[in-house]
Amino acid sequence: MTLAHSPLGPSSAERWINCPGSVSLTAGLPDTKSEYAAEGTVAHHLTEVMRRDGIAASSFLGQTIDEILVKQEMVDAVEMFVEHVEETPGFALIEVRTHFGEWVPEGFGTLDDARLAPGKATITDFKYGKGEQVFAENNSQLKVYALGVLAEWDWLYDFQNFVLCVHQPRLDHIDTWTISRADLLAWAASVVKPKAAEALSGKGKVCAGDWCQWCKIKATCRVRATWVFNSVVGDFESIEDAASRTPAEAATLSNSEIAVALTAIGNIKKWCAAIEAHAMSEIKHGHEVGDYKIVAGRSSRGWGLDAEEIAGIWTAKGLAVDD
């Protein structure tokens, strides 16, 4: 399976809209694909063959596709997604590339599923991952897909509303949000078009935020590092406020201050994980990272159940005792 990606595609829209400078900074850098991303790619492939070719996802159970083993969990997720989208009437667009060059020069992207009906398009994005729940409201990726559908199919359907949906089967999560044609076009004119132009100019502003998680330089970006450090040791409170506190008050954080810290924890953890992974990769490739080095670890594994319990499980499934 091969996939083509636009530097200003829908899947990265939240990043390049909020951080236009990231486009030029990451241009030409190789893609690094995690095992989770590889699993998602295979799951998307199964949804396509199930919808387009009528081949049951269960027929791939136990097979290996692109070095990923198809497990029951993946089959279940794929079947849930397909069942959901096929409940929506309309002409089906299945893994179809759409173009939105009117707002983003040479912009294109491949949507997962869309159902087209007079006056309305329902666009559903399949999220196989379960690490982070995704929502449909003002979802930049889905709105850019909607622009592509509008650009290519409006002549036939005269769309007035776009129903945007995120489906995460492994989280049992389906979220839907509707945007009108007028609001979508206003967003495209005021946000998408100028941000795309800024990104392609090579002089785009670099801004850190939640969107950094999927950036190729998430571990080495100085702006992100500064943002993370400021969230920890930045303007937590002014010197005047600190001086006015009693010794008892100064010794411990108040609940309101704890709340401020909690909002930063997620991004701090993600940044720390990215830094560790990058440093590990650099050391493995023979590059010095200060005095850090990789040392051998030690792990031990054992059965979670005793032999009699394990035998009972397998014999209940029909396996002979001798086997």
Side-chain angles (χ1 to χ4, degrees):
M1 295 177 290
T2 58
L3 298 173
H5 296 284
S6 166
L8 297 181
S11 60
S12 58
E14 183 183 9
R15 174 175 58 79
W16 60 259
I17 287 174
N18 287 285
C19 181
S22 65
V23 175
S24 59
L25 289 174
T26 59
L29 295 181
D31 289 319
T32 55
K33 195 171 185 179
S34 68
E35 181 180 353
Y36 302 113
E39 286 182 342
T41 299
V42 172
H44 274 79
H45 174 64
L46 295 187
T47 70
E48 180 178 2
V49 298
M50 190 172 177
R51 287 171 291 161
R52 193 186 299 279
D53 304 321
I55 301 174
S58 58
S59 65
F60 294 92
L61 184 63
Q63 295 186 29
T64 299
I65 302 175
D66 286 354
E67 301 183 358
I68 296 297
L69 177 65
V70 178
K71 301 178 182 178
Q72 187 63 52
E73 183 182 27
M74 182 179 291
V75 170
D76 292 342
V78 167
E79 290 178 341
M80 289 173 64
F81 170 75
V82 173
E83 181 181 0
H84 169 73
V85 295
E86 292 191 342
E87 290 177 349
T88 302
F91 177 71
L93 298 181
I94 299 171
E95 300 294 333
V96 170
R97 180 180 292 188
T98 60
H99 297 79
F100 36 89
E102 180 179 345
W103 304 278
V104 180
E106 299 184 15
F108 66 87
T110 303
L111 55 79
D112 294 338
D113 191 275
R115 306 288 158 144
L116 312 184
K120 183 175 76 172
T122 301
I123 301 169
T124 305
D125 192 41
F126 174 53
K127 299 293 188 187
Y128 183 68
K130 60 179 181 180
E132 187 171 334
Q133 197 170 43
V134 181
F135 296 91
E137 184 174 0
N138 281 316
N139 185 297
S140 296
Q141 179 179 6
L142 282 168
K143 289 195 289 185
V144 173
Y145 281 138
L147 289 175
V149 171
L150 176 68
E152 298 194 47
W153 293 91
D154 187 56
W155 65 274
L156 183 59
Y157 292 96
D158 189 23
F159 300 117
Q160 299 304 313
N161 290 290
F162 294 85
V163 180
L164 310 181
C165 180
V166 173
H167 191 182
Q168 287 180 279
R170 296 166 77 199
L171 291 180
D172 194 24
H173 173 65
I174 298 175
D175 190 49
T176 302
W177 181 68
T178 300
I179 185 171
S180 68
R181 174 196 188 98
D183 288 344
L184 179 67
L185 287 173
W187 175 74
S190 64
V191 177
V192 177
K193 192 169 185 175
K195 289 296 182 180
E198 182 182 349
L200 293 174
S201 72
K203 302 176 182 179
K205 185 178 180 180
V206 178
C207 300
D210 293 340
W211 49 87
C212 295
Q213 183 179 358
W214 311 112
C215 185
K216 294 179 183 179
I217 59 169
K218 62 183 179 182
T220 57
C221 177
R222 187 178 299 277
V223 171
R224 188 189 189 200
T226 302
W227 175 67
V228 170
F229 278 119
N230 283 341
S231 69
V232 181
V233 297
D235 299 327
F236 194 72
E237 69 173 357
S238 67
I239 295 176
E240 292 79 10
D241 289 340
S244 67
R245 295 183 182 274
T246 66
E249 291 173 334
T252 58
L253 296 174
S254 67
N255 283 348
S256 61
E257 290 169 323
I258 291 291
V260 172
L262 283 173
T263 60
I265 286 178
N267 286 309
I268 292 170
K269 285 182 176 179
K270 291 173 185 176
W271 181 75
C272 290
I275 284 288
E276 288 182 340
H278 179 75
M280 184 75 74
S281 176
E282 288 292 294
I283 294 170
K284 283 182 177 179
H285 286 86
H287 304 141
E288 289 188 1
V289 181
D291 295 328
Y292 286 92
K293 60 183 179 179
I294 299 174
V295 296
R298 179 179 175 181
S299 63
S300 59
R301 297 181 179 180
W303 295 106
L305 304 173
D306 61 36
E308 185 176 346
E309 290 176 298
I310 294 172
I313 291 172
W314 285 110
T315 53
K317 293 181 178 291
L319 194 68
V321 173
D322 290 343
D323 292 334

